[in-house]
Amino acid sequence: DIQMTQSPSTLSASVGDRVTITCRASQSISSWLAWYQQKPGKAPKLLIYKASSLESGVPSRFSGRGSGTEFTLTISSLQPDDFATYYCQQYDRYWTFGQGTKVEIK
Amino acid sequence: QVQLVESGGGVVQPGMSLRLSCAASGFTFNYYALHWVRQAPGKGLEWLAVISYDGNNEYYADSVKGRFTISRDNSKNTLYLQMTSLRAEDTAVYFCAKEGSGNPSFDYWGQGTLVTVSS
């Protein structure tokens, strides 16, 4: 099974900060990686697919990079609506989620 | 617009069975693979199962293999999850999700239905 490890688990930041979340795969997954945002009591929302492709309607302050085993999600200027939990997901072999990164207000 | 609406959750005793449904609308149902994902209280997301667009192929996470069965009725635009031998650790919100076009990430999700396994 492919394991996905996110870091950090929690991130404290302020509005306007540049924020980066890292996701590492236990083996190469090429670019078969997605990022989701989830707010309490809501379903996850797709932000990025195929490591760096922005889902339609997602603000351009979100960006994804990486391939192989190391990936990042960057929010260029954190907005109040961005405080949430973020998950990476591999879909190279079946589907696996990372454990999540909670972005909270500093 | 795409809508996925889960139903069938509730409180069930350990060892019992439950069937969840996910009613879909707003897209060509029989073109897309569909998934079930769950989230235990306060925990992360766990992928459970996938079924191909035509229902001919299914795959499961090890944690539910042999106990859960995914199925679909393309004439009713509905996805199902039959859950048997339920355990306390199956307590979670269960989401259905649709794959994207030519891309197996999940572009639409239902709102989730809560399953509580407790005596």
Side-chain angles (χ1 to χ4, degrees), chain A residues 1 32 34 36 38 42-46 49-50 55 87 89 91 94-95 97-99, chain B residues 35 37 39 43-47 50 59 62 95 99 103-107 109-111:
Chain A
D1 292 4
W32 302 119
Y36 299 86
Q38 188 181 31
K42 301 293 187 181
K45 173 187 174 183
L46 178 64
Y49 62 93
K50 212 171 177 183
E55 175 70 353
Y87 294 92
Q89 177 205 42
Y91 48 95
Y94 302 112
W95 292 262
F97 291 95
Q99 82 277 16
Chain B
H35 298 253
V37 175
Q39 187 168 38
K43 302 297 184 182
L45 301 168
E46 179 186 15
W47 174 77
V50 59
Y59 299 96
D62 287 344
F95 297 99
E99 283 192 10
N103 166 44
S105 56
F106 304 163
D107 60 354
W109 298 63
Q111 84 289 351

Side-chain angles (χ1 to χ4, degrees), chain A residues 7-75:
Chain A
S7 59
S9 295
T10 305
L11 189 159
S12 298
S14 302
V15 172
D17 284 353
R18 181 181 181 88
V19 164
T20 297
I21 300 168
T22 298
C23 179
R24 290 185 174 86
S26 59
Q27 63 188 72
S28 176
I29 57 170
S30 184
S31 296
W32 302 119
L33 185 105
W35 290 97
Y36 299 86
Q37 176 194 67
Q38 188 181 31
K39 296 181 179 179
K42 301 293 187 181
K45 173 187 174 183
L46 178 64
L47 300 175
I48 301 283
Y49 62 93
K50 212 171 177 183
S52 60
S53 296
L54 193 68
E55 175 70 353
S56 176
V58 174
S60 59
R61 63 181 179 272
F62 291 92
S63 64
R65 297 188 64 178
S67 66
T69 62
E70 187 150 337
F71 303 85
T72 58
L73 172 71
T74 297
I75 310 172

Side-chain angles (χ1 to χ4, degrees), chain B residues 76-91:
Chain B
K76 296 182 178 179
N77 286 5
T78 302
L79 173 71
Y80 302 100
L81 185 68
Q82 179 69 47
M83 305 185 293
T84 64
S85 303
L86 283 163
R87 307 164 180 167
E89 54 265 37
D90 295 318
T91 294

